[in-house]
């Protein structure tokens, strides 16, 4: 189940380059799309399904800003309207393919999967992309064979850094014991972490003298469907026991992560991490990316095996513990949006109610 009135990340802008021969297929929230760039550089997102006999449009051929289905040759404009039927003069108004609103922001391509009249670009989450001159952001992506609810639960409970990421982002059990301040957002949850006098993450410990400790301030916004925007700052360990760290800022960084549900069983995970220019050092951005690459391979192994177990025994044990509080907040919010859209769809389907609106 997916929220339709929502922006979904379709990938990094560099994955869809002007001049590319083949239109790019993507599956988002259970729907097959094809994406391509027009000559002016803007992106078209169209249903990957010809309106004649449902041939896949990504197997078609670009012709300027148009795309031709290469089964029987129907040609469509970037608005989805058919402009040519070889061997037939009349073109019905019904001969059109659905298109989707698209916005490029922070080097991500965002597609609105719901009612186009509700596609408000202000709903796209804040992020810091690799094109931002004030930050040195490196990017990557990974595919995970799991339902996106498991990703939400994973990202809303960072106690797992201690366990799953003991060899990468972990290195302390303080991720288990540190209280988290949660604040509800209109379409998500903000989590604030304050850790004092903790070791460096395992992947970076070799950089520092043995036993060196740090203060960490971390803010995370998780928004629908499953976007995770992290502001991570590390200081040398100070003496302040309350309020801001009085240590020296040694890393100011952003990690922007968009987990896009492909269908019920798969996600595409587009992510980045990088330091501010002011706290950058040679090789630091690569070190951070290597750390997060390792971490997400660790998550992938755990979540895919967990998902296989859950599919095998949907009625299996699910005992709650204290660390489920964060996941519950975001999953309940997701369920509220799903229920609201289901109620709206039911209302639309009921002619009596429609007539008495
Ligand atoms: S299926 Fe596309 S033209 Fe026939
Ligand atoms: Fe993780």
């Amino acid at each position: 189940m997916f929220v339709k009135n929502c922006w979904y990340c379709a990938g990094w802008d560099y994955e869809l380059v002007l001049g590319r021969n083949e239109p790019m297929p993507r599956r988002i929230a259970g729907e097959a799309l094809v994406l391509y760039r027009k000559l002016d550089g803007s992106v078209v997102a169209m249903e990957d399904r010809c309106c004649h006999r449902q041939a896949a449009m990504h197997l078609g051929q670009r012709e300027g800003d148009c795309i031709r289905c290469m089964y029987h040759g129907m040609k469509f404009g970037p608005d989805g309207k058919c402009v040519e039927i070889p061997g037939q003069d009349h073109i019905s108004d019904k001969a059109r393919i659905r298109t989707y609103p698209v916005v490029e922001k922070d080097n991500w391509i965002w597609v609105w999967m719901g009612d186009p009249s509700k596609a408000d670009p202000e709903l796209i989450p804040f992020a810091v992309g690799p094109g931002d001159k004030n930050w040195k952001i490196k990017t990557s992506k990974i595919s995970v064979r799991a339902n996106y609810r498991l990703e939400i639960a994973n990202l809303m409970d960072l106690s797992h850094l201690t366990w799953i990421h003991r060899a990468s982002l972990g290195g302390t059990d303080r991720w288990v014991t540190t209280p988290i301040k949660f604040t509800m957002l209109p379409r998500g949850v903000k989590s604030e972490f304050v850790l004092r006098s903790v070791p460096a993450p395992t992947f970076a410990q070799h950089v520092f003298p043995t036993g060196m400790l740090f203060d960490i301030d971390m803010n995370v916004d998780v928004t629908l469907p499953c976007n995770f925007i992290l502001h991570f700052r590390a200081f040398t360990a100070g003496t302040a026991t309350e309020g801001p760290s009085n240590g020296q800022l040694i890393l100011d960084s952003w990690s922007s992560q968009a987990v896009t549900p492909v269908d019920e069983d798969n996600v595409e995970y587009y992510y980045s991490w990088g330091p501010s220019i002011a706290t950058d050092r040679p090789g630091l951005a690569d070190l951070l990316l290597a750390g997060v690459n390792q971490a997400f391979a660790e998550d992938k192994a755990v979540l895919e095996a967990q998902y296989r177990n859950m599919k095998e025994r949907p009625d299996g044990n699910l005992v709650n513990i204290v660390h489920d509080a964060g996941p519950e907040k975001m999953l309940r919010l997701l369920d509220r949006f799903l229920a609201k859209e289901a109620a709206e769809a039911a209302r639309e389907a009921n002619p009596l109610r429609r007539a008495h609106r």
Side-chain angles (χ1 to χ4, degrees):
M1 298 249 289
F2 310 102
V3 175
K4 292 295 181 187
N5 286 317
C6 186
W7 291 101
Y8 286 81
C9 180
W12 293 107
D13 55 3
Y14 59 74
E15 297 180 85
L16 189 62
V17 291
L18 193 62
R20 184 188 170 100
N21 285 333
E22 296 86 20
M24 182 172 82
R26 281 284 195 265
R27 181 169 283 273
I28 297 178
E31 294 184 34
L33 308 184
V34 58
L35 286 87
Y36 65 92
R37 276 191 197 280
K38 296 197 295 182
L39 272 175
D40 66 6
S42 61
V43 176
V44 175
M46 188 180 280
E47 192 175 3
D48 192 14
R49 192 184 304 273
C50 177
C51 63
H52 174 225
R53 290 293 182 267
Q54 300 200 35
M57 293 303 296
H58 77 269
L59 299 174
Q61 172 176 293
R62 282 279 309 279
E63 291 186 17
D65 288 349
C66 297
I67 184 167
R68 188 185 294 279
C69 176
M70 293 304 281
Y71 194 164
H72 309 96
M74 287 172 72
K75 181 170 156 181
F76 301 88
D79 58 356
K81 195 171 168 352
C82 181
V83 294
E84 184 188 332
I85 303 176
Q88 175 177 324
D89 292 335
H90 175 70
I91 301 176
S92 156
D93 278 346
K94 287 185 185 161
R96 60 166 59 235
I97 301 176
R98 181 182 175 187
T99 57
Y100 300 77
V102 178
V103 172
E104 285 190 85
K105 186 166 175 285
D106 308 312
N107 303 98
W108 271 333
I109 300 168
W110 294 94
V111 180
W112 181 265
M113 298 301 292
D115 177 352
S117 70
K118 295 180 177 166
D120 178 1
E122 292 295 315
L123 295 176
I124 296 173
F126 169 85
V128 179
D132 192 318
K133 298 282 183 286
N134 296 314
W135 305 86
K136 191 165 176 186
I137 304 291
K138 299 261 178 167
T139 67
S140 190
K141 67 173 187 173
I142 189 169
S143 305
V144 182
R145 289 189 299 278
N147 183 276
Y148 74 114
R149 294 179 76 95
L150 296 192
E151 290 282 2
I152 291 175
N154 176 271
L155 292 170
M156 286 300 300
D157 169 20
L158 297 190
S159 72
H160 82 265
L161 266 66
T162 297
W163 312 111
I164 297 181
H165 303 314
R166 56 197 176 278
S168 57
L169 303 180
T172 172
D173 62 4
R174 296 279 284 284
W175 295 107
V176 176
T177 55
T178 299
I180 305 156
K181 183 181 171 201
F182 293 113
T183 310
M184 295 308 293
L185 306 171
R187 287 185 159 236
V189 181
K190 177 187 285 298
S191 310
E192 295 171 67
F193 300 76
V194 176
L195 284 78
R196 296 291 177 256
S197 297
V198 294
T202 311
F203 79 91
Q205 281 179 359
H206 63 283
V207 174
F208 303 102
T210 307
M212 186 167 173
L213 297 175
F214 301 86
D215 292 346
I216 291 173
D217 285 351
M218 207 167 93
N219 290 344
V220 179
D221 283 3
V222 174
T223 53
L224 295 173
C226 186
N227 308 305
F228 178 98
I229 309 298
L230 163 71
H231 189 199
F232 179 97
R233 288 180 301 157
F235 307 78
T236 56
T239 52
T241 52
E242 285 184 16
S245 170
N246 60 359
Q248 183 196 347
L249 178 68
I250 59 163
L251 174 63
D252 190 5
S253 69
W254 283 97
S255 174
S256 302
Q257 306 173 18
V259 184
T260 298
V262 171
D263 52 29
E264 294 291 351
D265 300 320
N266 295 278
V267 301
E268 288 291 338
Y269 199 140
Y270 307 96
Y271 61 91
S272 68
W273 198 7
S276 66
I277 294 301
T279 59
D280 189 23
R281 291 168 188 75
L284 177 58
D286 288 325
L287 177 70
L288 295 179
L289 187 69
V292 82
N293 280 343
Q294 182 183 344
F296 289 171
E298 294 161 349
D299 280 321
K300 175 181 164 78
V302 170
L303 296 191
E304 289 186 347
Q306 178 193 14
Y307 190 53
R308 280 196 299 274
N309 279 350
M310 287 184 140
K311 286 194 80 161
E312 195 174 289
R313 293 220 192 127
D315 56 349
N317 252 347
L318 294 174
V319 176
N320 287 334
I321 62 172
V322 65
H323 302 296
D324 302 317
E328 282 297 309
K329 287 181 198 309
M330 190 63 201
L331 289 169
R332 270 205 302 267
L333 182 131
L334 171 67
D335 286 337
R336 272 211 308 280
F337 274 78
L338 288 169
K340 182 166 167 272
E341 289 198 350
E344 283 167 5
R347 208 160 40 235
E348 287 302 315
N350 183 334
L352 275 180
R353 289 201 181 180
R354 242 187 3 241
H356 291 94
R357 244 186 331 214

